[in-house]
Amino acid sequence: MNIVKTLNSSRFFACALAALPAAAQAQDFSGAVTLGYGLGSISNGGGDIDSFTLDGSGSVSFQNGWVMGLDATLAKMNPEGPGDFDTTDLGANFAYQFASGATIGAYGDFMNFDTAGGVFGPTDTEVTSYGLSGGYVNDTFGAELHIGISEANGGVDWNDYGVTLRFRPTDATRIGGHWLLSEGDVAGGGSLEITSIGLGADHNFGSGFSAFGGVNFVDADMLNADVTTYGVGVGYDLSAVTSAPINLSLELARSDMDTGAGSIEEDTVRFGVTFALGNAMRAPENSVARSVMTPRHNALSTLIDTAY
């Protein structure tokens, strides 16, 4: 993983933090960090693949109506034989919430996808996304629309559009989903169009036990490929028996990729240790459910986040 590039990309987030009003005082914070390990098996003799992930997200509400959100994912995938690949995904968003519940804001995301060969070949792809968002939030419902631009090295730029919905029918249940479209022209001719649709949910049964599940469908026209990822899992909150805000989770996930040349399936068992920060209670950060309920702002990043 190219740490120098990751640090350079973080200058955006440092500047954004510096722009916060000096008089603002945090009045509410929630977030979580998940250490994850996945063990997968690829069909058609593709062998095994293991992954190590660090996922985190959080939000801070200020007394003056401003809300700041931060997301980060670091992942390292090790398939059998050559072809290791790393991903770094960082995000920040700022929004102002009116007394009516309406919101308006802006976001910035950065993703680096670095491979050492194998099926992807040697690549080093960077994508920077930024745009505007607006929506509505109350205690049981939230909706957000966004429009923005993504710029990738190699002369590939595209436009991003998305809708994210969240619903909380009870204190113990959350449901969320998204629709994303990334489309644009490719340098040298051709076009890019990736659509992502996802739905997820989590439920707290009490006594420390919880369950979560999600499904994500991605259609990548430029690759003539469809990718469907779904996962179901269970969690146990150790704070039910100790004072530690730690959640242990186990998820079974599967990704099906269909192309003109055939299909490939990958089955993965994901383990997670989640450290809750503030008043966070939700699906683990490395789960399919969490990825589809809180997607990135472009369809390509969301595809990678849900798959691993």
Side-chain angles (χ1 to χ4, degrees), residues 32-281:
V33 175
T34 298
L35 297 173
Y37 172 74
L39 179 60
S41 177
I42 303 175
S43 66
N44 302 328
D48 296 333
I49 178 172
D50 57 7
S51 58
F52 300 88
T53 58
L54 174 63
D55 298 90
S57 67
S59 64
V60 183
S61 299
F62 296 92
Q63 293 178 352
N64 56 6
W66 286 95
V67 180
M68 176 183 69
L70 297 171
D71 297 275
T73 295
L74 303 174
K76 183 175 182 63
M77 280 66 74
N78 303 306
E80 285 188 13
D84 294 359
F85 53 101
D86 306 330
T87 64
T88 301
D89 204 341
L90 308 173
N93 63 83
F94 298 89
Y96 184 81
Q97 183 172 344
F98 297 90
S100 63
T103 64
I104 184 170
Y107 68 86
D109 295 339
F110 171 84
M111 182 193 72
N112 174 256
F113 185 67
D114 189 7
T115 69
V119 65
F120 296 103
T123 64
D124 188 3
T125 302
E126 295 183 357
V127 180
T128 302
S129 305
Y130 50 90
L132 302 176
S133 62
Y136 175 81
V137 177
N138 61 28
D139 291 339
T140 59
F141 176 77
E144 180 186 275
L145 291 82
H146 74 263
I147 180 170
I149 298 172
S150 289
E151 300 176 347
N153 55 344
V156 181
D157 300 337
W158 63 81
N159 298 320
D160 298 308
Y161 313 93
V163 178
T164 303
L165 300 174
R166 304 182 188 94
F167 178 55
R168 190 167 186 168
T170 71
D171 289 341
T173 305
R174 279 162 301 188
I175 304 170
H178 73 265
W179 171 87
L180 303 174
L181 173 64
S182 297
E183 61 175 1
D185 297 324
V186 179
S191 61
L192 174 148
E193 183 174 312
I194 306 176
T195 304
S196 176
I197 302 173
L199 179 66
D202 60 57
H203 180 77
N204 185 354
F205 292 100
S207 301
F209 293 97
S210 61
F212 48 89
V215 59
N216 194 60
F217 173 78
V218 175
D219 179 20
D221 280 358
M222 65 175 182
L223 301 176
N224 189 28
D226 298 332
V227 181
T228 303
T229 300
Y230 46 93
V232 293
V234 294
Y236 183 72
D237 185 3
L238 293 180
S239 64
V241 294
T242 71
S243 60
I246 299 175
N247 183 283
L248 304 180
S249 60
L250 174 68
E251 180 183 36
L252 303 179
R254 181 182 179 93
S255 292
D256 295 329
M257 185 169 111
D258 293 321
T259 69
S263 62
I264 299 175
E265 294 81 33
E266 179 182 345
D267 295 306
T268 306
V269 180
R270 301 180 183 179
F271 304 93
V273 180
T274 300
F275 302 87
L277 308 172
N279 60 356
M281 292 181 61

